[in-house]
Amino acid sequence: QVRLVESGGGLVQPGESLRLSCAASGIVFSIYAMAWYRQVPGKQRELVAVITSGRSTRYGDSVKGRFAISRDNTKNTVYLEMNSLKPEDTGVYYCNAALTPTDYWGQGTQVTVSS
């Protein structure tokens, strides 16, 4: 059974920081690319950040310079550090594990940035 469980979401004010975690089980974690996506009602799901099995990273333009993705293969966990949060960062954040042609998804965690 493959399971991706996100945690760390919540309500924060603009300018504050938050760290999301995604714990994976049921896969050989170290060989999967891991990613964070987010979705706002009425909009398409958006790639936020990805980290490959080789630990290269890339970010969506809207979060570049503010967010950082990392992974701990000993804990089968991927993290998303979110800094200088903006109201437009609000959404449901989903963890993704990918090894072509297979994708797995978590159930999502809500992040709300509001004053």
Side-chain angles (χ1 to χ4, degrees), residues 12-20 38 48 59 62-69 80-89 93 111 113:
V12 295
Q13 295 184 2
E16 294 184 339
S17 298
L18 204 59
R19 187 181 75 163
L20 306 183
R38 68 187 180 193
V48 176
Y59 298 89
S62 64
V63 308
K64 199 170 298 180
R66 299 188 297 121
F67 290 12
I69 189 170
L80 183 68
E81 298 177 7
M82 304 184 293
N83 302 306
S84 301
L85 282 161
K86 304 174 180 179
E88 51 262 45
D89 294 318
Y93 284 69
V111 173
V113 185

Side-chain angles (χ1 to χ4, degrees), residues 2-114:
V2 177
R3 197 173 180 219
L4 303 177
V5 181
E6 301 98 334
S7 61
L11 173 64
V12 295
Q13 295 184 2
E16 294 184 339
S17 298
L18 204 59
R19 187 181 75 163
L20 306 183
S21 299
C22 172
S25 59
I27 60 171
V28 182
F29 180 83
S30 62
I31 68 173
Y32 275 74
M34 301 298 299
W36 290 94
Y37 289 75
R38 68 187 180 193
Q39 189 161 28
V40 178
K43 291 194 173 183
Q44 192 174 6
R45 186 171 294 188
E46 173 190 27
L47 176 66
V48 176
V50 59
I51 182 166
T52 70
S53 61
R55 289 187 170 88
S56 65
T57 60
R58 56 184 181 269
Y59 298 89
D61 288 341
S62 64
V63 308
K64 199 170 298 180
R66 299 188 297 121
F67 290 12
I69 189 170
S70 61
R71 66 192 297 160
D72 186 342
N73 288 347
T74 69
K75 297 180 179 180
N76 287 4
T77 300
V78 63
Y79 305 95
L80 183 68
E81 298 177 7
M82 304 184 293
N83 302 306
S84 301
L85 282 161
K86 304 174 180 179
E88 51 262 45
D89 294 318
T90 294
V92 179
Y93 284 69
Y94 295 91
C95 180
N96 167 266
L99 182 66
T100 302
T102 304
D103 282 283
Y104 298 104
W105 294 90
Q107 63 185 5
T109 186
Q110 176 71 43
V111 173
T112 303
V113 185
S114 177

